[in-house]
Amino acid sequence: FGDGFNTLVDPRDPEVGYAMSQGGNLMRFDTRTGERKPIRPLFSADGGKSFHYRGIVPMPDEDWNSWEFQIVERSDGSLWLLNRTKYGIGESFSYDQGHTWTPMQPSDIAHPVARFYIGRLNSGKLLLIKHGRMDEKSGKWFGGRERLMAFLSDDDGESWSGGLMIDERKQVSYP
């Protein structure tokens, strides 16, 4: 796993392959149809007699850009998942410790199609690192990867303060 993007051809169907990517993500792809599907984690509650999918985040194929999920637990115990999508940042919520998720939808966080970071600090505040101010995507696709800034939230992402400039250069990709 890592940046190697290792691939494997399905031994039963040479038009189907599997790919590993950064972060240990696994994907199945079909070269005939162009379909790409993540391989979902399975769990067993009965010692391996049966297996079930756990934690599937419904995301329309047309919105998919990458599997760069970031999850924070909110003060009510629910989970807030953010992911890079074709439209910027998508969000999904789980109210049962990640067993089920709401469908992916656009978040209110304006952002270009680029990596971002969200995490909880020891103080309890959320830290968000993104490109541009909270109200701007700062351009399109790669042109928007500039002005890397940090924001804080005291209310689980309902509002953000700060706007500390981390790097004002253009083409700054990964926080």
Side-chain angles (χ1 to χ4, degrees):
F1 298 103
D3 287 330
F5 297 96
N6 298 320
T7 60
L8 173 68
V9 175
D10 188 313
R12 293 165 302 201
D13 185 348
E15 298 299 318
V16 172
Y18 303 92
M20 293 187 296
S21 65
Q22 194 170 14
N25 298 304
L26 298 173
M27 173 97 39
R28 178 187 186 277
F29 59 92
D30 187 322
T31 59
R32 289 177 297 253
T33 64
E35 177 185 56
R36 298 178 295 190
K37 292 286 183 185
I39 295 175
R40 307 293 189 200
L42 293 171
F43 79 100
S44 176
D46 58 10
K49 293 178 186 172
S50 64
F51 291 87
H52 307 279
Y53 289 115
R54 173 179 275 174
I56 296 173
V57 177
M59 182 187 315
D61 288 343
E62 62 269 14
D63 293 342
W64 182 86
N65 178 265
S66 70
W67 299 109
E68 294 180 352
F69 296 121
Q70 305 209 27
I71 301 173
V72 292
E73 184 175 1
R74 299 187 308 177
S75 58
D76 66 0
S78 64
L79 301 176
W80 183 26
L81 177 145
L82 298 171
N83 188 51
R84 175 172 140 182
T85 65
K86 287 184 179 175
Y87 50 73
I89 297 177
E91 66 183 1
S92 178
F93 299 92
S94 176
Y95 301 97
D96 58 7
Q97 289 115 10
H99 293 276
T100 61
W101 293 89
T102 62
M104 185 71 66
Q105 62 185 12
S107 79
D108 290 334
I109 301 171
H111 197 257
V113 180
R115 181 117 172 138
F116 61 93
Y117 170 82
I118 189 168
R120 190 167 301 276
L121 302 173
N122 288 337
S123 67
K125 295 180 181 187
L126 288 180
L127 169 65
L128 173 67
I129 301 176
K130 67 175 284 305
H131 296 281
R133 297 186 320 262
M134 286 305 298
D135 62 346
E136 69 177 349
K137 284 190 176 188
S138 69
K140 297 183 218 171
W141 260 97
F142 297 104
R145 295 179 176 185
E146 58 191 32
R147 297 190 334 267
L148 201 56
M149 300 178 76
F151 300 88
L152 295 173
S153 176
D154 289 321
D155 56 9
D156 285 337
E158 294 295 321
S159 63
W160 297 92
S161 62
L164 173 68
M165 181 66 68
I166 297 172
D167 192 334
E168 56 189 17
R169 294 176 299 159
K170 293 184 181 220
Q171 302 304 317
V172 179
S173 292
Y174 284 79

